[in-house]
Each structure stands twice: as C-alpha cells, then as structure tokens.
Amino acid sequence: MADQDIALKALLKKRHLHGHAAFCKEYDKVAKRLDKDLIGSHPSKAQYYRWLSGELLGLPYSDHCRVLEAMFPNWTAEQLFAPHAGVLEYTPDANKPPETAPRQAANGTNVPADFVGLYAHRADVPKDLWLTLLEGVHHSVDLFANASLFLPEDNPDAIDLLRAKANEGVIIRLLLGDPTHDAIKLRGEEERLYESLIGRVQMAHAYYRPLIGLDGVQFKVHGTSLYNSIFRYDNQMLVNQHIYGTYGYIAPILHLRRSSGSDLFETYMKSLERVWIDEAYEYAPSQR
C-alpha cells in the first residue's frame, strides 16, 4: 500500500500496542475472554508486521479477525485493514467486553462449532498458514497423507521447524504412504498420476527421513485407501479432501478447531487414530 497506514496500525499506535510483544500480550488477554483455545494463536512477528505494512491481500485467517474485532469493538476486520485518511473519527473503548456469541456463517445454518473455514482448493490455502499453525504448536503434530510433498516444497523451513518442535518436546507423528503397497499404485491410477505418485511418495520419504530417530518423532507408513489427508496441529486441523480423478492440490481443504460444541474435529481424529493403531506399521529406511 502506498504511503497510507491501515486503520489497525493507527489504532494500535494510539493505544501504544504497535510493538509485536505488546500486541501479543493484549491479543492473548482478549483471546482468553473469547475462547481459551485462541490463546497463543497470535501472528508471528513477520506475519504481524506484514499485516501492518498494508500489503496483505484479503484478510487474515478468520480467528485472527475474530480476536481483532473483539480488541476494537465497533470495527469490522474489513475496516481495520482498510487505509485511513490520517485522522480516526473515533477510538473504540478498550474496556468494553467483547462479544462472546459464536460467529455464524452468513449463509446456511447448523454450522459446526469446530468449523473455521473452507478453501475450494488446497492451492488456495495461504502458504504462511501451514507454518503459522506449526509455529503455534505446543503438544502434538500429526501428518497423515500419502506423500504431503507440497508441505516441504512450498515451505522450505517446514522440516527444520518440525525438528525444532521435536526438540521442544512436541510429539510428532508422521504417517505417509508405503510406496511398495498396491494402494499407492491404485491411487496413482485413480488420480491419473500413475507411477509418478510412487516417485512422489518416495521423494516425500527422503524429505522427512532426517527426522527419523529424533526424540519425540514417530514415523510410520500405511497402505490404506486415503479418503482425506489430515494435518493436525494441537487443537487445529487442516483436512485435504480427496476426489476421484482429481489432483490433491485441486481438492478442497477444511479448517477445523476442536470445540466442545461439535464432534467434527474428533471424527477426523478418530479416523487418524484408527489408521495409526490398526493399519500403520513402522517405517524402514530400506523402503524406497
């Protein structure tokens, strides 16, 4: 954006919260009142200053918008990220209690409480969302897919970040396809990738292999019919739906957050656990 600040930047300056540390402290205070699961979900330092630069395309991730709107009552996320003329007409009352009612989808009813958002294609998911969720993990990461090759290729820091999280005590479970299994061959035919899918799975193993043997990292393979690829980050989850005859990057992504008011997150979690316990087996480096 040219030389104009966005309203959010001006409001933060007015309340002396424009530094990242001060912002995160206030963010967590508001998040605690809204939903305790939102605590610690504030943007990384780089992401935060990208917000303030005014160069963000669209709006931040919906939970960020929810907290921001609670931090600045009477302001919508769209208004906060719009440029302002240099003088703010009013400053929201910082002590006004934030609204606590769940945000409802504009269209449709009976939206599950653990529903965060839907991306029409995996390629539509902001690249920094994958790393933002990973950076915010404190307990568990589960990666269940055939290859998940896009994750380290689109986010070169992903493997190093997983290693760092393991060193911090985070439990990491990697569950990738067995390239020697007939299920991978069949999926290659169904997605019109044929033998190249086997090669992609083998390449994914090569990317993730440096994590094998680290404390806190468990690596297994599977030969199941993969209905969904599941990427779980503590209480958040990205689910890549799979469509017959369609490449994974074209298929939709469902974003969920565990909630006591719905069981959608738990339904996918139970599926992942069933494969991990009943169908998966230890990865052997000789499997290429």
Side-chain angles (χ1 to χ4, degrees):
M1 195 168 290
D3 297 323
Q4 259 186 352
D5 285 342
I6 59 172
L8 175 62
K9 185 174 182 179
L11 288 166
L12 289 170
K13 284 183 177 179
K14 201 173 185 66
R15 287 172 51 183
H16 307 289
L17 295 173
H18 51 287
H20 183 249
F23 170 82
C24 291
K25 185 176 180 180
E26 181 68 14
Y27 182 103
D28 282 346
K29 187 193 303 182
V30 173
K32 184 178 180 180
R33 296 200 301 260
L34 282 174
D35 181 344
K36 289 184 178 179
D37 286 341
L38 292 173
I39 298 173
S41 66
H42 48 68
S44 65
K45 192 171 185 177
Q47 188 178 17
Y48 172 67
Y49 286 113
R50 185 177 170 222
W51 286 5
L52 299 191
S53 72
E55 296 176 356
L56 189 68
L57 298 178
L59 294 175
Y61 157 58
S62 60
D63 280 336
H64 287 150
C65 292
R66 183 183 174 194
V67 176
L68 288 172
E69 289 179 354
M71 288 175 69
F72 299 99
N74 302 322
W75 288 80
T76 66
E78 288 80 3
Q79 290 171 331
L80 289 171
F81 283 87
H84 78 98
V87 177
L88 295 170
E89 294 181 0
Y90 66 97
T91 303
D93 180 1
N95 296 313
K96 179 180 177 181
E99 84 177 44
T100 56
R103 293 165 62 86
Q104 299 295 324
N107 298 310
T109 58
N110 196 29
V111 177
D114 44 11
F115 175 81
V116 176
L118 177 69
Y119 297 92
H121 314 289
R122 190 183 72 206
D124 295 336
V125 178
K127 287 185 179 181
D128 61 355
L129 177 58
W130 299 95
L131 289 186
T132 297
L133 291 177
L134 185 53
E135 288 170 349
V137 165
H138 298 290
H139 304 290
S140 303
V141 174
D142 290 311
L143 190 161
F144 174 31
N146 276 333
S148 180
L149 198 56
F150 74 93
L151 190 56
E153 287 188 337
D154 291 350
N155 303 276
D157 295 332
I159 301 300
D160 286 340
L161 188 51
L162 284 168
R163 181 186 290 109
K165 286 297 178 180
N167 290 335
E168 293 172 7
V170 172
I171 301 301
I172 297 171
R173 300 191 299 182
L174 304 174
L175 182 52
L176 300 180
D178 179 350
T180 68
H181 201 284
D182 287 344
I184 298 299
K185 180 179 179 182
L186 177 60
R187 178 53 62 94
E189 294 172 355
E190 292 173 346
E191 292 191 1
R192 307 299 188 265
L193 289 170
Y194 304 103
E195 291 81 4
S196 65
L197 179 59
I198 296 174
R200 290 179 63 80
V201 174
Q202 291 172 328
M203 191 177 299
H205 285 201
Y207 274 119
Y208 291 101
R209 192 172 295 144
L211 300 174
I212 297 176
L214 295 179
D215 288 342
V217 176
Q218 303 173 60
F219 202 145
K220 290 186 178 182
V221 292
H222 69 91
T224 65
S225 298
L226 191 69
Y227 297 103
N228 304 279
S229 295
I230 301 174
F231 306 88
R232 180 268 188 113
Y233 309 88
D234 281 346
N235 290 322
Q236 297 200 59
M237 180 184 290
L238 296 174
V239 183
N240 196 173
Q241 312 292 311
H242 291 298
I243 304 172
Y244 186 93
T246 302
Y247 300 143
Y249 74 90
I250 297 176
I253 283 274
L254 184 63
H255 188 174
L256 303 175
R257 179 195 303 283
R258 178 182 271 130
S259 171
S260 59
S262 178
D263 64 355
L264 189 56
F265 182 101
E266 298 300 339
T267 298
Y268 283 106
M269 200 66 218
K270 288 176 182 176
S271 173
L272 189 158
E273 293 291 352
R274 183 169 297 175
V275 175
W276 182 265
I277 295 171
D278 297 337
E279 304 293 339
Y281 37 97
E282 295 300 323
Y283 171 76
S286 61
Q287 290 170 325
R288 299 179 187 276

